[in-house]
């Protein structure tokens, strides 16, 4: 940890002005940010919780955090690894028999019955590194035959999540198991689905729902009181809207029903890949635990070795091939999160780890600078490439660091 370092006031002020500009221009109704260096933490909330609303955004406003759920799911799996109940190179079929005896498409464009046998079983490590052979297809709908059953089965990874459409856990994994893999296990990185499968594995092995396991082993020990897979009635007044930008109409349109949100009731499937809601302070507790190599608030959640594995580069350039839109030339992948390996921007610090969420969230931790940055917005991403608000947030966040 960097002794005696803290944020600089002019940088924090510049970050506030940049984020407030998005609200003032009507591009995003409200934004909450957190930046922290050492013990110096700055939280800022600007705007309102809903388009056209009057409820002010607050420090404890609750957001759909989408894919920054993924590192949390990885941490839960590593709790089981630390306890010796899982090993990274175990085959998963003991707990997930639906994924035994896999067939693999001859190529991504093959018909569903044009397959070859999998060369080996899927392992826990494959799920954590997103190399188990199945994930998002980065192509327009209808480009490849595999895309239609993914959409028909509501398996996810083909667009923003709709919790109300996803089948219950056992049915979800059954549907996935009926489809061939896109790639051989370990062959290449494919986004998202590995973390959803990991959530099913955690549930089956622990004998609890993923939400129960997360609450008992992560959220309660870390004081993450507002994080979960749905928002109870007592907290709905703090729940924010979520919007997509309609480029034809030139305005923000609600994505989730603002009166009867999909997140206002427990989902049938608890998505380890993107289903959590949280606040900046809750997510900061998780980030700080990771930055402290497994400990926060006098509580040890993970071993140092597990955190080191999660936050180190775990995939090869050959495995990343085809994922350039996610990684550019500055990033690789650990366990369910990105790990920076270089780059030409101030925030592209080697060893920095974290991820972005399609509902407009971004959270990374930087061991070199003892720094955490968290951005929560209500505007959905238009593509896997970072939107302008992400770039502006990280630019100004790093100007707030004392080096």
């Amino acid at each position: 940890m960097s002794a005696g370092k803290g944020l600089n006031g002019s940088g924090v002020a510049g970050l506030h002005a940049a984020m407030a500009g998005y609200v003032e221009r009507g591009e995003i109704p409200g934004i909450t940010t957190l930046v922290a260096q050492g013990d110096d933490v700055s939280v800022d909330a600007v705007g309102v919780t809903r388009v056209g609303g009057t409820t002010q955004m607050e420090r404890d406003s609750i957001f759909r955090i989408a894919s920054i759920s993924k590192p949390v799911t990885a941490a839960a799996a590593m709790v089981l690894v630390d306890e010796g109940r899982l090993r990274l190179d175990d085959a998963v079929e003991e707990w997930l028999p639906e994924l035994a005896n896999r067939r693999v498409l001859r190529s991504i464009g093959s018909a569903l019955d044009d397959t070859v046998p999998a060369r080996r079983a899927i392992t826990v490590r494959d799920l954590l590194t997103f190399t188990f052979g199945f994930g998002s297809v980065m192509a327009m709908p209808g480009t490849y035959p595999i895309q239609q059953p993914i959409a028909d089965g509501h398996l996810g990874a083909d667009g923003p999540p709709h919790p109300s459409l996803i089948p219950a856990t056992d049915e979800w994994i059954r549907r996935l198991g009926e489809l061939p893999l896109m790639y051989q296990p370990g062959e290449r990185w494919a986004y998202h689905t590995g973390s959803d499968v990991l959530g099913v594995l955690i549930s089956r092995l622990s004998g609890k729902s993923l939400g129960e396991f997360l609450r008992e082993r992560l959220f309660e020990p870390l004081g993450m009181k507002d994080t979960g897979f749905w928002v109870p009635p007592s907290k709905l007044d703090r729940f924010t809207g979520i919007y997509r930008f309609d480029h034809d109409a030139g305005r923000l349109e609600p994505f989730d029903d603002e009166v009867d949100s999909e997140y206002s009731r427990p989902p049938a499937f608890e998505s380890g890949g993107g289903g959590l809601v949280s606040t900046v302070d809750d997510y900061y507790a998780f980030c700080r635990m990771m930055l402290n190599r497994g400990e926060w608030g006098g509580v040890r959640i993970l071993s140092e070795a597990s955190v080191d594995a999660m936050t180190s580069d775990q995939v090869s350039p050959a495995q990343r091939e085809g994922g350039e839109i996610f990684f550019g030339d500055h990033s690789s992948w650990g366990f369910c999160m990105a790990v920076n390996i270089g780059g030409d921007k101030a925030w592209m610090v080697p060893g920095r780890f974290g991820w972005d969420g399609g509902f407009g969230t971004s959270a990374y931790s930087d061991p070199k600078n003892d720094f955490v940055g968290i951005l929560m917005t209500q505007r959905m991403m238009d593509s896997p490439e970072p939107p302008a608000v992400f770039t502006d947030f990280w630019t100004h966040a790093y100007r707030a660091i004392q080096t």
Side-chain angles (χ1 to χ4, degrees), residues 15 31 100 111 123 126 136 166 211 223-224 300 309 337 347 383:
L15 174 60
I31 299 172
T123 67
D126 293 332
S136 295
I166 304 175
M224 298 170 67
R300 177 154 293 281
M337 71 181 82
W347 64 87
S383 80

Side-chain angles (χ1 to χ4, degrees), residues 69-253:
S69 304
K70 290 175 168 64
V72 177
T73 302
M78 296 309 288
V79 166
L80 294 170
V81 171
D82 281 341
E83 291 179 347
R85 299 166 72 184
L86 269 184
R87 290 180 294 276
L88 292 177
D89 295 311
D90 282 345
V92 301
E93 54 199 48
E94 176 182 349
W95 306 282
L96 304 175
E98 297 91 343
L99 300 185
N101 304 314
R102 295 287 75 205
R103 303 289 297 182
V104 183
L105 292 174
R106 198 174 297 275
S107 75
I108 188 64
S110 294
L112 298 183
D113 59 357
D114 183 14
T115 63
V116 297
R119 298 189 192 109
R120 64 167 175 80
I122 296 165
T123 67
V124 176
R125 188 187 301 273
D126 293 332
L127 298 180
L128 285 160
T129 57
F130 289 12
T131 60
F132 86 102
F134 197 98
S136 295
V137 178
M138 302 310 295
M140 292 295 292
T143 303
Y144 303 120
I146 191 66
Q147 292 173 278
Q148 194 60 51
I150 292 173
D152 292 344
H154 300 292
L155 297 177
D158 62 341
H162 278 290
S164 64
L165 298 178
I166 304 175
T169 302
D170 288 347
E171 174 63 12
W172 183 89
I173 196 74
R174 186 194 68 79
R175 293 181 188 182
L176 181 67
E178 287 187 333
L179 299 180
L181 298 179
M182 300 170 184
Y183 314 105
Q184 289 287 342
E187 180 183 9
R188 63 181 289 176
W189 185 89
Y191 187 54
H192 180 77
T193 310
S195 48
D196 273 346
V197 177
L198 198 63
V200 181
L201 175 63
I202 292 165
S203 177
R204 293 241 177 119
L205 182 55
S206 68
K208 302 174 180 179
S209 72
L210 177 60
E212 288 173 324
F213 188 83
L214 291 175
R215 184 177 67 252
E216 292 176 10
R217 304 307 301 272
L218 292 176
F219 301 158
E220 288 181 354
L222 290 171
M224 298 170 67
K225 61 185 184 299
D226 292 320
T227 304
F229 287 108
W230 64 293
V231 183
S234 62
K235 298 181 180 182
L236 284 173
D237 60 328
R238 292 192 280 128
F239 195 35
T240 59
I242 186 67
Y243 303 90
R244 63 178 184 84
F245 189 74
D246 186 327
H247 290 273
D248 293 332
R251 63 175 179 265
L252 293 170
E253 297 287 354

Side-chain angles (χ1 to χ4, degrees), residues 2 5 36-38 291 346 349 366-372 398 401-403:
S2 306
K5 289 186 177 179
Q37 187 175 31
L291 199 57
V349 178
D366 175 354
K368 179 181 177 182
N369 292 293
D370 192 21
F371 178 72
V372 174
Y398 267 73
I401 291 178
Q402 297 276 19
T403 55

